[in-house]
């Protein structure tokens, strides 16, 4: 049976040849996975991939709206595509992802040369939507839509690792955050569907799966009891060949005993936990609407540390949220010292349209945000260096990814908790090996492949 996917028109100047699609992908892992699924749909519909824009007749942007700076950069880049489009008949420009959802048809006012605005729940329909485009008749698809996750992993660069969406959207309302409005409310995928997808991946050689959701540890809420992330992890734990199972991002509000128990008890659930704190000041947390205090956050970390051997937390922080004082900021430093994160991401607060915080004065000066950002990163270096150096002399279990992008003479891989490891090339891409750690920075371990098994496996 022919589906609408087959109806994608070739460009006017190449009536017989397939469309050559170039993708530019920004944003978080969830957006990247959507991009991969959307692109695979285009390839199935007969398009070919163009690595460079010079070889393409269609460009698709998968965009991120989480901070103003990223959006501004995208728009100034998009502006340059008007000339690119004018240079070849039949060329198409598509904007997908969170900026597309945020602006919808409005985007066409400023960028009338854009052919397709494809919102966050329409990426799997890209072939059909592009096929509907006619000269000077752009197509806009935003808002609610049932999402399908069909994928073949033909675009996955790493043979042994995969991301799997377990839920979409977010039903919380952190005061600063645009994600709920561009991704819609939280919707969990049925567990049977997730399990089938992961069984297929594992049978094809995938050893390391990361479950994705904006608040992944609230998984199941939209399905009702007895569904939960803990139950989902338990149902995936026995899949043959699946050595490592992780999940991002977790929200402190949904860290319950059952989930900590699952992490402690299931051998393939990894001991890294991304648990954004955002701030260590209770006053700021309250204004952010995060629903926990610094004390509660530390309690959760303590419970994990007590029960999960090798527990390695990671975090996100926002500096310069409206009204953040030096004292508030010091509370964040104190929280970081108490937690001892393996790694953190630090962001300067950026007001986003339509959020509650956008109504508050953005009163922390840019240079103060910059200085606090630098102070947190410096503190993190201090905290992480001894944690990483403590691995020297140990043999750690590494999933081999391949040549490092920064230094291609070396191979890179990750430990179970997510530490980056660099080592001389081995003939084992996609395999699990032991690496004896000889040196360390605050960001990475350096070593050589050890014969025999990893002793710590962490
Ligand atoms: N759903 C995830 C994260 C979503 S956005 C979670 O709740 O953990 C990723 C990170 O971007 C957030 O953790 C936060 O630290 C940061 N962020 C979100 N909105 C921001 C804003 N308006 N300004 C600066 N940083 C922001
Ligand atoms: Fe944004 Fe908060 Fe939802 Fe995360 S939990 S996506 S920070 S609203
Ligand atoms: Fe950005 Fe959208 Fe992800 S706003 S962080 S790409 S959900």
């Amino acid at each position: 049976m022919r589906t609408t996917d087959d109806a994608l028109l070739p460009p006017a100047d190449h009536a017989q040849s397939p469309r050559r699609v170039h993708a530019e992908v920004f944003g978080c892992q969830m957006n990247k996975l959507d991009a991969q699924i959307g692109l695979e749909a285009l390839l199935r519909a007969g398009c070919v991939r163009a690595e460079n824009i010079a070889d393409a007749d269609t460009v698709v942007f998968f965009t991120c709206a989480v901070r103003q700076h990223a959006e501004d950069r995208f728009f100034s880049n998009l502006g340059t595509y008007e000339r690119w489009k004018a240079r070849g008949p039949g060329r198409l420009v598509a904007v997908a992802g969170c900026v597309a959802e945020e602006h919808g048809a409005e985007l066409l006012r400023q960028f009338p040369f854009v052919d397709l605005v494809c919102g966050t729940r329409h990426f799997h329909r890209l072939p059909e939507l592009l096929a509907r485009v006619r000269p000077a008749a752009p197509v806009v698809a935003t808002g609610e839509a049932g999402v399908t996750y069909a994928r073949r992993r033909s675009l996955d660069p790493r043979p042994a690792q995969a991301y799997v969406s377990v839920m979409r959207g977010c039903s919380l309302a952190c005061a600063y955050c645009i994600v709920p409005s561009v991704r819609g409310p939280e919707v969990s995928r049925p567990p049977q569907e997730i399990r089938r997808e992961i069984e297929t991946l594992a049978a094809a050689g995938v050893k390391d799966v990361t479950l994705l959701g904006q608040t992944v540890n609230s998984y199941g809420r939209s399905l009702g009891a007895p569904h939960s992330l803990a139950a989902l992890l338990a149902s995936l734990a026995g899949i043959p060949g699946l050595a490592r199972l992780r999940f991002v991002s977790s929200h402190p509000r949904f860290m319950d005993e059952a989930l900590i128990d699952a992490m402690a008890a299931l051998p393939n659930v990894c001991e890294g936990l991304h648990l954004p704190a955002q701030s260590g000041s209770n006053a700021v947390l309250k204004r952010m609407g995060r629903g926990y205090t610094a004390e509660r956050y530390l309690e959760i970390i303590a419970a994990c540390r007590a029960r999960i051997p090798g527990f390695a937390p990671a975090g996100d922080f926002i500096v310069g949220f409206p009204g953040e004082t030096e004292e508030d900021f010091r509370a964040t430093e104190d929280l970081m010292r108490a937690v001892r994160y393996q790694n953190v991401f630090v962001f300067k607060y950026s007001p986003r349209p339509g959020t509650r915080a956008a109504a508050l004065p953005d009163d922390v000066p840019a240079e103060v945000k910059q200085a606090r950002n630098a102070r947190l990163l410096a503190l993190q270096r201090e905290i992480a260096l001894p944690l990483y150096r403590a691995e020297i002399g140990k043999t750690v279990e590494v999933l081999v990814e391949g040549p490092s992008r920064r230094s291609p003479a070396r191979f890179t891989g990750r430990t179970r908790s997510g530490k980056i490891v660099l080592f001389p090339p081995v003939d084992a891409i996609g395999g699990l090996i032991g690496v004896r750690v000889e040196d360390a920075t605050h960001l990475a371990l350096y070593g050589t492949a050890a014969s025999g098994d990893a002793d710590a496996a962490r």
Side-chain angles (χ1 to χ4, degrees), residues 170 172-174 176-177 179-180 214-215 251 278 290:
C170 175
L172 297 187
C174 302
Y176 49 83
C177 187
V179 169
Q214 290 292 353
T215 55
H251 192 291
Q278 312 298 2
R290 290 287 289 176

Side-chain angles (χ1 to χ4, degrees), residues 67-360:
R67 281 169 290 276
Q68 189 68 44
H69 180 62
E71 192 173 312
D72 291 345
R73 263 204 335 233
F74 164 65
F75 280 141
S76 64
N77 184 22
L78 178 62
T80 67
Y81 279 81
E82 184 164 17
R83 283 186 51 208
W84 172 81
K85 186 176 160 172
R87 285 204 302 269
R91 286 185 176 178
L92 295 180
V93 177
V95 179
C98 295
V99 175
E101 189 71 41
E102 182 191 358
H103 295 279
E106 284 293 306
L107 205 139
L108 299 169
R109 279 205 209 170
Q110 204 187 340
F111 303 97
F113 61 90
V114 166
D115 297 288
L116 171 62
V117 179
C118 175
T120 51
R121 283 150 286 182
H122 297 264
F123 56 91
H124 57 294
R125 300 175 59 212
L126 270 170
E128 168 208 337
L129 295 171
L130 273 177
R132 273 208 242 145
V133 168
R134 294 291 175 269
V139 171
V140 177
T142 55
E144 280 304 330
V147 164
T148 58
Y149 298 88
R151 58 201 282 234
R152 294 194 178 158
R153 301 191 71 242
S154 54
L155 299 174
D156 237 320
R158 299 175 305 180
Q161 285 155 279
Y163 292 97
V164 172
S165 266
V166 300
M167 65 192 300
R168 300 195 62 76
C170 175
S171 291
L172 297 187
C174 302
Y176 49 83
C177 187
I178 199 170
V179 169
S181 82
V182 293
R183 293 252 150 189
E186 163 185 333
V187 183
S188 294
R189 269 176 91 185
Q192 306 83 330
E193 196 183 304
I194 297 167
R195 192 184 152 93
R196 269 199 303 276
E197 180 174 344
I198 297 177
E199 280 170 345
T200 309
L201 291 167
V206 169
K207 298 187 177 76
D208 182 325
V209 165
T210 305
L211 309 178
L212 294 180
Q214 290 292 353
T215 55
V216 70
N217 57 340
S218 71
Y219 171 81
R221 274 208 304 174
S222 69
L223 302 170
H227 298 286
S228 68
L229 182 63
L232 180 68
L233 291 171
S235 83
L236 302 173
I239 294 179
L242 186 63
R244 296 175 169 190
L245 194 50
R246 355 164 159 270
F247 49 93
V248 287
S249 284
S250 291
H251 192 291
R253 258 179 67 175
F254 305 110
M255 281 309 297
D256 57 14
E257 290 294 309
L259 182 55
I260 300 175
D261 283 345
M263 290 184 73
L266 302 169
N268 57 354
V269 176
C270 294
E271 40 286 327
L273 178 71
H274 185 223
L275 193 67
Q278 312 298 2
S279 172
S281 151
N282 287 339
V284 173
L285 286 169
K286 189 150 193 226
R287 282 203 300 284
M288 287 178 165
R290 290 287 289 176
Y292 54 86
T293 59
E295 292 73 22
R296 169 66 192 142
Y297 183 91
L298 291 173
E299 227 173 76
I300 297 166
I301 294 289
C304 292
R305 197 156 261 148
R307 310 245 291 280
I308 304 163
F311 177 65
D316 290 359
F317 290 95
I318 295 176
V319 293
F321 186 77
E324 186 189 66
T325 62
E326 175 63 21
E327 198 186 336
D328 291 323
F329 176 72
R330 290 211 180 116
T332 298
E333 291 182 313
D334 289 344
L335 181 123
M336 264 178 64
R337 279 192 203 96
V339 175
R340 286 175 283 123
Y341 290 99
Q342 174 174 285
N343 59 295
V344 299
F345 300 94
V346 181
F347 305 104
K348 287 176 264 184
Y349 170 67
S350 160
R352 304 304 292 125
T355 60
R356 276 180 293 127
L360 304 172

Side-chain angles (χ1 to χ4, degrees), residues 8-10 13 25 32 36 62 119 129 149 162 219 280 312 316-318 321 333 353 367 420 433:
L8 185 60
L9 296 179
D13 56 341
V25 184
K32 290 179 180 161
Q36 190 183 325
F62 292 90
L129 295 171
Y149 298 88
Y219 171 81
D316 290 359
F317 290 95
I318 295 176
F321 186 77
E333 291 182 313
E367 58 279 10
I420 294 170
I433 63 166

